């Protein structure tokens, strides 16, 4: 069976794990956490990076930093992972779901402004498949209306928009290092903060709502509970594993891009004759090959293709149920105006196996089986 995902293991991670054990310090903010944060700050030109236990908890921390009140509104796409929305719902905010663009499946920047009300505080963008949202337009809207921008860049580590790394453009950026993502620590994430005005508050939120970090630096005599927060920091074991992967980030990226390009070339005749839709990457975007997703005629054709691939020992999967159609999503928000593309496109999208180390032979086999299906 060709699996949909195989978590990235390079081999070098073991050395860093052993070193972490020798250091006898396994909690948060240790040696490897600092190494990872520093690596990302330099590589991505980010003013501040903090490792977290997941992208979901990075989003929780970002939502706390947004200082939302009951009744505030957050604009975001419905075509995303539940925690892009639940972090705001947990703060009592209402989610206002804006439709996606049919080409990138990212939030349609032309529909954001009409959804803004007096209660809107935040725009949360999701860079689907590691392809950037139209950030210039979105940042301009946010600036004109005094809104904060949170980037859910869970899938966008190493991707760029007009030369800038995703996650570093908005006020807060969130990365995922879950085993299904390009770089992993099993479970893990990072919070990126642009403005130093938020640095101290972020540090306190991430360290259980206390000023322990300031205490450890000798800035306060004792630490205490100073804000809402939680235990959001990644353990040293995870950070040591992640460090090995970050050092080889370019190599992992190139390997994935090579596979992505093989798919694109191998399936382009089916695009030309109108059988399937292939991914679209705007010229401003450099993507990280997080995903290779095709779109077929409709939901029923998708089911048949998944089944056909399974019979040929290939695991292909669909993706998000739009949040506004989910049980909890209905409680937490509403869809703004017409759902022109969110439901329609989500129902016909199919993700093909793509991970570090998938072989050319495997990709050629998958391309052939898809062609056989359309014969
Ligand atoms: C994976 C993912 C998340 C959640 O990441 P975790 O690290 O598992 O919490 C959130 N948003 C998006 C868009 C994702 O793809």
């Amino acid at each position: 069976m060709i699996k949909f995902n195989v978590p990235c293991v390079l081999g070098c991670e073991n050395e860093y794990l052993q070193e972490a054990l020798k250091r006898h310090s396994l909690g948060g903010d240790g040696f490897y956490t600092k190494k990872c944060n520093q690596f990302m700050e330099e590589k991505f030109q980010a003013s501040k990076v903090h490792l977290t236990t997941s992208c979901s908890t990075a989003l929780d921390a970002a939502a706390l930093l947004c200082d939302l009140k009951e009744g505030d509104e957050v604009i975001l796409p419905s075509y995303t992972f539940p925690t892009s929305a639940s972090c705001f719902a947990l703060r009592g905010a209402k989610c206002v779901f804006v439709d996606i663009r049919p080409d990138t499946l990212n939030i349609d920047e032309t529909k954001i402004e009409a959804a803004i009300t007096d209660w809107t505080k935040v725009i949360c963008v999701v860079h689907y498949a590691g392809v950037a949202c139209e950030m210039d337009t979105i940042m301009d809207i946010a600036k004109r209306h005094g809104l904060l921008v949170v980037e859910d860049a869970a899938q966008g580590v190493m991707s760029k928009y007009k030369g800038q790394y995703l996650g570093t453009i908005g006020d807060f950026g969130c990365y995922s290092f879950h085993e299904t993502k390009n770089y992993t620590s099993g479970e893990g994430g990072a919070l990126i903060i642009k403005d130093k005005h938020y640095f101290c508050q972020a540090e306190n939120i991430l360290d259980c709502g206390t000023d322990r970090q300031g205490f450890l630096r000798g800035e306060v005599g004792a630490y205490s509970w100073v804000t809402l927060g939680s235990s959001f920091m990644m353990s040293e074991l995870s950070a040591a594993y992640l460090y090995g992967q970050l050092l080889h980030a370019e190599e992992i990226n190139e390997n994935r891009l090579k596979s992505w390009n093989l798919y694109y070339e191998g399936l382009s005749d089916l695009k030309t004759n109108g059988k399937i839709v292939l991914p679209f990457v705007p010229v401003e975007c450099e993507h990280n090959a997080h995903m290779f997703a095709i779109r077929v005629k409709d939901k029923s054709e998708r089911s048949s293709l998944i089944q056909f691939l399974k019979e040929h020992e290939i695991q292909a999967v669909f993706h998000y149920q739009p949040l506004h159609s989910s049980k909890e999503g209905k409680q937490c928000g509403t869809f703004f105006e017409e759902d022109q593309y969110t439901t329609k496109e989500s129902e016909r999208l199919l993700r093909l196996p793509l991970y570090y180390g998938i072989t050319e032979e495997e990709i050629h086999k998958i391309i052939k089986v898809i062609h056989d299906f359309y014969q």
Side-chain angles (χ1 to χ4, degrees), residues 220-249:
V220 287
Y223 74 84
S224 64
W225 187 17
V226 294
T227 185
L228 289 178
S230 193
S231 176
F232 284 137
M233 296 197 293
M234 186 189 275
S235 111
E236 264 298 280
L237 291 175
S238 302
Y241 189 95
L242 180 64
Y243 188 60
Q245 303 228 330
L246 290 178
L247 289 182
H248 294 86

Side-chain angles (χ1 to χ4, degrees), residues 55 59 75-85 87-88 97-98 100-101 104-108 112 123-135 138 149-156 166-167 172 174 181 290-291 319-320 323:
C55 180
L59 284 160
I75 289 172
L76 75 164
S78 171
Y79 187 62
T80 183
F81 192 67
T83 53
S84 321
C87 60
F88 302 113
F97 300 114
V98 166
I100 51 171
R101 295 164 41 148
T104 57
L105 308 181
N106 283 331
I107 192 166
D108 186 339
I112 290 175
I123 302 170
C124 176
V125 300
V126 180
H127 304 296
Y128 188 69
V131 176
C133 296
E134 202 349 77
M135 290 310 287
I138 293 165
V149 173
V150 175
E151 291 181 76
D152 180 341
Q155 304 174 13
L166 301 191
F172 309 114
C174 302
K181 301 302 201 286
H290 172 63
M291 193 190 300
H319 215 179
Y320 309 126
L323 299 184

Side-chain angles (χ1 to χ4, degrees), residues 1-6 263 309-310 312-316 352-355 358-367 369:
M1 190 80 175
I2 305 177
K3 286 193 190 151
F4 169 69
N5 179 61
V6 176
Y263 271 129
L309 287 163
K310 196 173 161 195
H312 291 83
E313 301 189 306
I314 297 161
Q315 186 188 24
L352 301 175
L354 179 59
Y355 49 85
I358 189 171
T359 66
E360 282 189 34
E361 293 70 46
E362 285 168 324
I363 292 176
H364 286 310
K365 177 185 166 181
I366 297 164
I367 292 168
V369 172

